[in-house]
Amino acid sequence: MQLEPEQILDALDEQQREAAQNLLGPTVILAGAGTGKTRTITHRIAYGIVRGDFSENRVLALTYTNRAAGELRARLRALGVGNANAKTFHSAALSQLEYFFRELYGVEPPRVIESKTKNILTAAETLKIKLDPISTRELAQEIEWRKYSMLSLEDYAANIENRPVIAGLSPNRNLEIQSLYEDLKTKAKQVDWEDVILLTTGMLRAEPRALSQVHQQYRFITVDEYQDISPLQQELLDTWMGDRSDICVVGDPNQTIYSFTGATSRYLENFSLRYPDASTITLSTNYRSTPEIIRVANRVRANQSMESLESTKTSGVAPQVISFEDKKAEADWVAKEIKRSLATGVKASQIAVLYRINSQSEVIEQALSDNGMEYQVRGGMRYFSRPEILAAIRLVRAEAAGTSTKPLYETITALVRSLGWMSAAPTQNGVKYEQWEALNHFVQIAEELGDSATIQTFANEIEERQRSQHEPTRESITLSTIHAAKGLEYQVVFIVGATEGYLPISFAKTDTALIEEQRLFYVAVTRAKDRLVITWAKNDLDFNRENTPSRYLQWFN
């Protein structure tokens, strides 16, 4: 059902309403954690379309993560504007690259590699260098940083002495691996995701006809999480914008935590310098967290020039800081405390355990398993790689290729039933429950799309979710690095391992790196809605040493 313009605005507070009504010209929305930025920008887009200021098919909403893009699409669809485009930078760039390669050059575009690991390991083996998984990941991140920072190999070589030591390699060996990585990729006619943005930008600038077509297609651009944009992504955005200025950016300088990949908040902070006539709106009303959590968050934030957050929730429990003798005692207590939360009615999906690096999860996983609790590690097995989901996708595609006129819900339930799904969930946890839960997500998507959707609509939605890896939320406890938890929220949050060396991380030596670690801690704190617990272990038995509590715990006194 199509909403009236005022009905769309009725769902917003005064600050959000002001942002939604700034439809034309440059607009910057400074949105603190939990202030409803996604609600604001989706209602702004819907309001502009319903009023007639925006053409629905000429809107492009951009973000950086697959889940965020999926959330934008779902919310826009719920507001009756399902044809507005909401994509990641990579997805939008790849769509254009594929289309124009075929349209202009009559050839298929290079194949995008999903991971840099294989080529990095091949390059290292060729050079007789041994790399462990951590070193391989460090090199992949350094390649991303170089490309997002728009440095050629020559530029990088000229400045490599100023870079941190990567994977324990000398600068020359690091450069040799990166050079051979690029050669291997080129010979195999492959590109990585950074190349996709670089090639799309270059192609559009070299082909006026293609650029004109893109400008005609996308007239009104919104950028979510603008504090995370890199110089390379900004170049592509500038290309998409041309000399037009109908752009809205939203972000929070206090949540810039990806500078190791080239992300920078300077474009957000300097937006009004670039667009002197820009409208600036600040969202400071926090709807997520209790006043007690927000008081700590306001102390933690690195950028004190932003307005302080104000909670709308009633008073709750004060955040806790608890120390333990060692990591096992810490993990066992967290597991038992989670069990108590579950017993009080808190859903498993509303509980998260956050930590600085992946290796910290092992002891927590063991403690949860010992207590018989289901959990998921963010970054584990991908939803769209599950055998039953791949089978379901094949059935959906086959059905969409036909001429079925049956209601969507009936069609989808029949398809997943053929793969073993039942309307009632299995009574016991385990593999069968996970398979049921995965297939049940297809039924939920059909319910979201509604009665008017067709199997073709459903197939397109699944294709977009698969392409962007927009995965469902499972009903289980979440274990996650703080980086991977950005953009998410939980009723109960445990931040474990809060010691010097982890928070901040040991290799953060410069003022810039330490401020980024502080922003990371701010992100962790602001994931919590009702209860926040920080834990640390006094002794590290693995290395036979005593730990020092994180300097960030001073803000809890």
Side-chain angles (χ1 to χ4, degrees):
M1 183 180 70
Q2 183 70 65
L3 298 174
E4 294 297 322
E6 283 304 313
Q7 289 178 299
I8 294 171
L9 294 180
D10 284 344
L12 306 179
D13 67 26
E14 186 177 340
Q15 294 173 333
Q16 295 168 345
R17 190 183 182 99
E18 181 187 359
Q21 289 177 303
N22 270 278
L23 295 174
L24 300 177
T27 301
V28 56
I29 303 172
L30 299 174
T35 57
K37 68 176 180 60
T38 305
R39 167 183 287 267
T40 302
I41 59 176
T42 50
H43 280 69
R44 178 181 181 274
I45 291 169
Y47 179 68
I49 291 170
V50 173
R51 262 180 52 98
D53 294 85
F54 297 168
S55 299
E56 186 171 354
N57 61 350
R58 300 188 69 191
V59 168
L60 177 61
L62 293 161
T63 190
Y64 302 89
T65 68
N66 305 314
R67 177 167 291 281
E71 178 71 12
L72 286 175
R73 286 195 302 275
R75 292 203 189 194
L76 289 169
R77 189 166 53 236
L79 291 169
V81 290
N83 291 326
N85 287 285
K87 300 181 176 183
T88 63
F89 272 86
H90 288 115
S91 176
L94 182 60
S95 294
Q96 292 173 20
L97 190 69
E98 290 176 338
Y99 175 79
F100 287 116
F101 252 68
R102 297 175 184 123
E103 182 78 8
L104 298 176
Y105 312 130
V107 297
E108 289 296 311
R111 184 173 65 85
V112 182
I113 56 173
E114 291 297 328
S115 169
K116 296 178 175 66
T117 299
K118 183 178 178 181
N119 283 348
I120 289 174
L121 289 175
T122 301
E125 186 178 341
T126 302
L127 296 167
K128 295 183 169 49
I129 299 172
K130 289 187 177 181
L131 295 177
D132 59 29
I134 294 176
S135 298
T136 305
R137 188 162 60 246
E138 284 183 18
L139 275 163
Q141 289 177 348
E142 185 71 355
I143 291 169
E144 290 175 15
W145 178 86
R146 171 175 60 81
K147 291 187 170 188
Y148 278 131
S149 301
M150 298 188 68
L151 295 176
S152 66
L153 279 169
E154 292 74 20
D155 294 333
Y156 181 76
N159 292 280
I160 197 169
E161 297 294 341
N162 299 322
R163 292 296 296 160
V165 174
I166 305 300
L169 299 170
S170 68
N172 284 340
R173 296 303 261 173
N174 169 10
L175 190 61
E176 284 178 326
I177 291 179
Q178 290 202 45
S179 299
L180 189 50
Y181 164 86
E182 297 294 342
D183 290 342
L184 290 168
K185 187 162 51 66
T186 301
K187 288 176 183 176
K189 296 183 179 179
Q190 297 172 332
V191 293
D192 56 31
W193 282 108
E194 297 77 55
D195 293 331
V196 169
I197 294 180
L198 187 63
L199 286 172
T200 302
T201 305
M203 177 191 67
L204 292 176
R205 291 183 174 181
E207 299 286 352
R209 185 157 58 97
L211 184 58
S212 175
Q213 197 168 331
V214 170
H215 284 171
Q216 184 65 27
Q217 181 180 6
Y218 297 128
R219 179 71 176 82
F220 309 98
I221 295 181
T222 299
V223 187
D224 189 15
E225 303 284 8
Y226 192 56
Q227 78 278 349
D228 288 334
I229 200 165
S230 69
L232 178 59
Q233 290 162 329
Q234 184 65 48
E235 282 291 305
L236 178 58
L237 180 61
D238 289 342
T239 304
W240 282 336
M241 286 299 302
D243 59 1
R244 302 166 303 167
S245 62
D246 287 324
I247 180 172
C248 173
V249 300
V250 58
D252 179 3
N254 283 305
Q255 296 190 67
T256 303
I257 60 173
Y258 292 109
S259 60
F260 61 88
T261 64
T264 173
S265 61
R266 72 172 182 268
Y267 296 107
L268 173 65
E269 294 169 323
N270 296 332
F271 188 82
S272 295
L273 296 178
R274 186 173 188 184
Y275 296 98
D277 59 336
S279 299
T280 301
I281 299 103
T282 299
L283 307 183
S284 58
T285 304
N286 179 283
Y287 295 92
R288 176 186 300 160
S289 307
T290 62
E292 289 79 4
I293 294 171
I294 291 304
R295 274 196 288 273
V296 173
N298 282 330
R299 296 188 206 121
V300 170
R301 62 199 173 97
N303 186 337
Q304 291 293 330
S305 64
M306 286 275 289
E307 283 188 28
S308 294
L309 296 174
E310 293 185 12
S311 173
T312 60
K313 299 181 76 169
T314 56
S315 184
V317 297
Q320 296 172 275
V321 176
I322 305 175
S323 63
F324 298 89
E325 286 303 313
D326 55 50
K327 287 189 293 186
K328 185 178 185 309
E330 178 184 21
D332 288 343
W333 183 87
V334 168
K336 288 181 173 59
E337 200 64 19
I338 289 173
K339 183 174 280 189
R340 279 193 281 270
S341 292
L342 294 171
T344 64
V346 179
K347 291 185 177 181
S349 59
Q350 282 297 310
I351 301 174
V353 182
L354 307 182
Y355 35 82
R356 179 61 177 85
I357 60 175
N358 284 303
S359 61
Q360 290 176 275
S361 75
E362 185 177 350
V363 65
I364 301 293
E365 290 182 60
Q366 186 62 55
L368 292 175
S369 296
D370 290 345
N371 282 272
M373 287 182 282
E374 288 285 319
Y375 64 87
Q376 61 174 326
V377 180
R378 283 188 62 78
M381 183 179 181
R382 307 307 296 260
Y383 175 77
F384 289 103
S385 297
R386 298 185 65 93
E388 64 272 16
I389 294 307
L390 293 172
I393 290 171
R394 286 194 293 271
L395 292 176
V396 168
R397 287 173 178 164
E399 190 74 19
T403 57
S404 174
T405 58
K406 290 188 296 184
L408 178 61
Y409 185 82
E410 181 184 333
T411 302
I412 296 304
T413 52
L415 291 181
V416 293
R417 280 184 193 280
S418 72
L419 296 171
W421 177 86
M422 298 177 293
S423 57
T427 55
Q428 292 183 330
N429 291 326
V431 174
K432 286 188 176 180
Y433 183 86
E434 290 182 3
Q435 291 172 340
W436 177 89
E437 188 178 40
L439 291 171
N440 194 59
H441 187 60
F442 270 50
V443 179
Q444 292 173 342
I445 294 174
E447 291 174 339
E448 287 175 17
L449 292 177
D451 297 337
S452 61
T454 65
I455 185 63
Q456 286 77 22
T457 307
F458 185 91
N460 291 339
E461 178 68 17
I462 290 296
E463 181 180 354
E464 180 60 36
R465 293 193 185 207
Q466 183 181 25
R467 184 173 186 165
S468 65
Q469 287 297 320
H470 173 209
E471 301 186 347
T473 301
R474 286 179 53 198
E475 189 52 55
S476 58
I477 298 149
T478 297
L479 307 186
S480 175
T481 64
I482 302 170
H483 280 100
K486 185 173 178 293
L488 303 176
E489 57 184 41
Y490 303 91
Q491 193 173 338
V492 179
V493 170
F494 297 87
I495 303 173
V496 300
T499 62
E500 292 290 307
Y502 284 126
L503 284 168
I505 199 72
S506 58
F507 53 75
K509 302 293 187 185
T510 66
D511 289 345
T512 299
L514 287 169
I515 289 173
E516 176 120 345
E517 290 293 301
Q518 185 176 334
R519 291 195 297 263
L520 187 65
F521 188 67
Y522 173 83
V523 167
V525 166
T526 54
R527 298 312 93 198
K529 294 195 282 189
D530 297 329
R531 187 183 178 200
L532 174 65
V533 183
I534 320 289
T535 65
W536 65 283
K538 297 176 183 177
N539 299 294
D540 190 335
L541 301 180
D542 293 337
F543 296 97
N544 193 29
R545 67 188 180 197
E546 291 186 1
N547 289 326
T548 303
S550 168
R551 68 193 69 181
Y552 304 140
L553 301 187
Q554 64 179 303
W555 288 305
F556 290 81
N557 296 329

